[in-house]
Amino acid sequence: MIWQHPDGTTVDLALARHRATDPDRRIGSLLLNPGGPGQSGVNLALSAPFSFSPELAARFDFVGFDPRGIGGSAEMRCDKEEVDARRTALNPTDEASFQTLREANRWATNAAHQMDREAHLLTYDGVGHITYWRSPCMRQATDTYPTPLR
């Protein structure tokens, strides 16, 4: 999930392709991004022949992906106990709970600095994903797998 460390932590994303209906006239692939939040690019790609003109469907493969936490892609999880503890810490009633709030603020400040360095882990980096999927590696993958990947 960190572009500078491609062999590091990863997340599974659903990817689908609907092939051009006229392969002899095929021009290439269109990567569909339905926007969001919460929209499935897989569903958009698979329904493309019904959503776009017959000419586009004849000449282009439609490729779509589900962003993290959407559809067939890996879900995002939060630690409930940690979230509850942080929430309780926001209402200090004595010195001990005030110190807990102070520690939570330090934690949040550190987390914010970490997010600045690794914002793509918590936000949608559509441009980065699209750039990656335009790479030679992904072109080879979409040409290799004749059916939708999920």
Side-chain angles (χ1 to χ4, degrees):
M1 298 274 317
I2 299 174
W3 298 110
Q4 296 84 355
H5 304 286
D7 295 327
T9 303
T10 62
V11 62
D12 291 331
L13 296 179
L15 175 68
R17 177 177 64 170
H18 185 280
R19 288 186 173 271
T21 57
D22 187 350
D24 292 336
R25 294 181 41 216
R26 179 181 176 272
I27 296 172
S29 297
L30 294 176
L31 179 61
L32 304 175
N33 179 0
Q39 302 299 313
S40 169
V42 166
N43 290 344
L44 184 58
L46 297 178
S47 67
F50 309 105
S51 303
F52 296 97
S53 73
E55 183 63 19
L56 276 177
R59 310 277 319 260
F60 291 93
D61 292 348
F62 293 99
V63 178
F65 64 97
D66 288 345
R68 292 180 304 268
I70 304 300
S73 292
E75 64 184 28
M76 297 171 63
R77 297 182 187 189
C78 296
D79 183 323
K80 182 180 180 336
E81 289 180 16
E82 187 171 324
V83 170
D84 289 345
R86 304 271 181 231
R87 187 176 295 128
T88 301
L90 294 176
N91 299 301
T93 56
D94 56 25
E95 183 62 27
S97 60
F98 178 77
Q99 291 304 326
T100 301
L101 176 58
R102 176 183 254 170
E103 184 57 35
N105 285 336
R106 284 188 188 119
W107 178 87
T109 299
N110 289 337
H113 290 297
Q114 184 69 17
M115 285 190 304
D116 282 345
R117 290 189 295 271
E118 300 174 6
H120 56 276
L121 293 176
L122 299 175
T123 61
Y124 175 64
D125 181 10
V127 173
H129 288 135
I130 291 168
T131 301
Y132 172 75
W133 282 338
R134 290 180 59 218
S135 71
C137 173
M138 283 308 294
R139 282 196 297 276
Q140 180 182 355
T142 55
D143 288 340
T144 301
Y145 297 102
T147 57
L149 300 175
R150 197 137 162 102

